[in-house]
Amino acid sequence: MKGIKFYSISSYIPDKVVTNDDMSRIVDTNDEWIRTRTGIERRHFASDCTNVSMAVRAAEKALSQSGIDPEKLCCVVVASFTSEIHSPSVACLVQRELGLPDHVMAFDINAACSGFIYGLGIVRGLLMQNEDCYALLVGSEKLSNFTNFEDRSTCVLFGDGAGAAVLGLDERAFYSEYGAHGDDSLIYCGVGLKDTPMEPLRMNGGEVFKFAVEHIEYVINKLLEKSGLTIDDIDHVVCHQANKRIISNIARKMKSAEKFFVDIEEFGNTSSASIPIALDDMNRRGMLKRGDKIICVGFGGGLTWGGVLTEW
């Protein structure tokens, strides 16, 4: 089976730290309320850079760490729904800023918080067409631009950041599961048109919680079924970092709490960037070893969901 090999993983986290106490000075909330409901203690805001510049910084590190010749890249794919501009794409601007050759395909995908997981499937498909090449996959979000800081139920959740990986084909396990259900009632973020103000992100938290728990469990079980493995065979489960209670709920259902990685307390919900940020965090902590079996699961606006079972 042709699977995906991670040649590198990296992230860019903005310097500005916003604690729960900081949020309490913006909106009617407090540290205990946020921590007990979400697990978040702080998040980072990109006050001095754009979504594009965060993507560039994460991508630059990933490419440098990979040791891959940029001439061997076939594509740059960026998962994001918070770009400040519609065109050119974030990916095209990453290509320009990194000085990548013109033969590199560059485009964005918008699957909200499932974006990086969708990207893994898309990149694998592109690499299957030309096995002697590599791909740069980035998840980058500047959610602070789209947050309603008068809505205490949502503004405390989100942070900014970017994560990136250089990927290539390899003989290793790879199983995937994807889905979508068109819905703009649970999660919605409107973009302002001429003479129309932007409508900030809004979310039905209770319904999103139920949707997430149901679909994460479904995706994990489908991946195990496809692979013929059990949860005992899996070394790590990396969920989209949306809410610690969601992840804890699934971990209890799977009776494998020790396998589920959580770092939402530091970064908040960074949407499509959360899974690559988590993987980079784990890698820097020395948690990941070559050959480890990992399940990554994302879910988000669209509604979208997806997961991959792969080897590190």
Side-chain angles (χ1 to χ4, degrees):
M1 174 183 291
K2 289 290 186 181
I4 284 179
K5 178 179 178 179
F6 282 78
Y7 283 84
S8 65
I9 188 74
S10 70
S11 61
Y12 173 76
I13 307 300
D15 291 333
K16 183 178 179 181
V17 177
V18 180
T19 67
N20 290 344
D21 289 334
D22 293 329
M23 293 301 300
S24 71
R25 289 187 278 273
I26 299 172
V27 69
D28 181 20
T29 190
N30 58 68
D31 176 64
E32 182 183 9
W33 191 92
I34 299 170
R35 280 190 295 104
T36 57
R37 287 163 176 78
T38 69
I40 298 169
E41 298 177 13
R42 62 192 68 83
R43 72 286 293 146
H44 298 247
F45 285 169
S47 59
D48 60 348
C49 56
T50 64
N51 192 18
V52 169
S53 62
M54 289 193 299
V56 168
R57 293 177 189 184
E60 188 173 40
K61 286 197 289 185
L63 195 55
S64 174
Q65 293 169 9
S66 71
I68 299 299
D69 183 350
E71 290 287 335
K72 298 287 284 182
L73 289 176
C74 70
C75 62
V76 177
V77 180
V78 176
S80 183
F81 80 98
T82 58
S83 177
E84 292 89 353
I85 56 176
H86 292 295
S87 186
S89 67
V90 177
C92 281
L93 297 180
V94 169
Q95 180 203 35
R96 180 190 70 185
E97 294 303 309
L98 295 186
L100 301 179
D102 288 351
H103 68 253
V104 175
M105 180 191 303
F107 62 94
D108 292 354
I109 58 174
N110 175 3
C113 305
S114 307
F116 192 81
I117 299 299
Y118 268 48
L120 289 173
I122 291 168
V123 160
R124 179 172 178 262
L126 292 171
L127 291 173
M128 293 286 282
Q129 299 178 46
N130 184 358
E131 297 187 17
D132 188 29
C133 68
Y134 303 88
L136 175 61
L137 176 61
V138 183
S140 183
E141 305 283 11
K142 189 173 180 181
L143 284 143
S144 58
N145 278 352
F146 294 82
T147 298
N148 179 3
F149 287 98
E150 296 181 355
D151 178 5
R152 76 169 189 164
S153 66
T154 61
C155 71
V156 300
L157 301 176
F158 301 109
D160 301 334
V166 174
L167 306 162
L169 287 183
D170 196 56
E171 296 290 340
R172 58 184 60 213
F174 186 90
Y175 300 90
S176 61
E177 176 72 23
Y178 296 100
H181 176 77
D183 183 290
D184 59 4
S185 64
L186 298 191
I187 306 173
Y188 180 84
C189 184
V191 177
L193 303 175
K194 185 178 180 181
D195 301 323
T196 304
M198 183 191 79
E199 190 172 352
L201 192 152
R202 67 173 188 266
M203 183 170 65
N204 182 332
E207 291 302 312
V208 169
F209 188 101
K210 288 190 288 186
F211 155 74
V213 169
E214 175 184 345
H215 284 80
I216 293 173
E217 183 179 16
Y218 169 80
V219 169
I220 291 174
N221 284 328
K222 287 294 288 186
L223 292 172
L224 294 174
E225 177 186 328
K226 288 181 177 182
S227 66
L229 301 175
T230 70
I231 194 65
D232 292 335
D233 299 313
I234 305 303
D235 296 290
H236 306 285
V237 181
V238 183
C239 299
H240 162 50
Q241 304 289 301
N243 185 304
K244 188 174 182 179
R245 290 170 58 221
I246 291 174
I247 299 172
S248 297
N249 192 302
I250 296 298
R252 285 194 300 271
K253 285 174 175 284
M254 304 300 298
K255 297 182 174 61
S256 300
E258 73 284 354
K259 298 178 185 288
F260 284 73
F261 180 74
V262 178
D263 64 0
I264 192 173
E265 68 277 359
E266 176 61 36
F267 306 113
N269 180 344
T270 55
S271 188
S272 68
S274 78
I275 287 177
I277 287 173
L279 289 171
D280 184 44
D281 192 5
M282 295 171 70
N283 195 43
R284 287 185 286 105
R285 297 187 196 191
M287 296 175 63
L288 299 179
K289 305 185 300 295
R290 283 299 177 192
D292 279 357
K293 292 181 174 61
I294 304 173
I295 289 178
C296 297
V297 186
F299 58 92
L303 299 166
T304 61
W305 59 90
V308 299
L309 192 163
T310 187
E311 293 180 33
W312 187 248

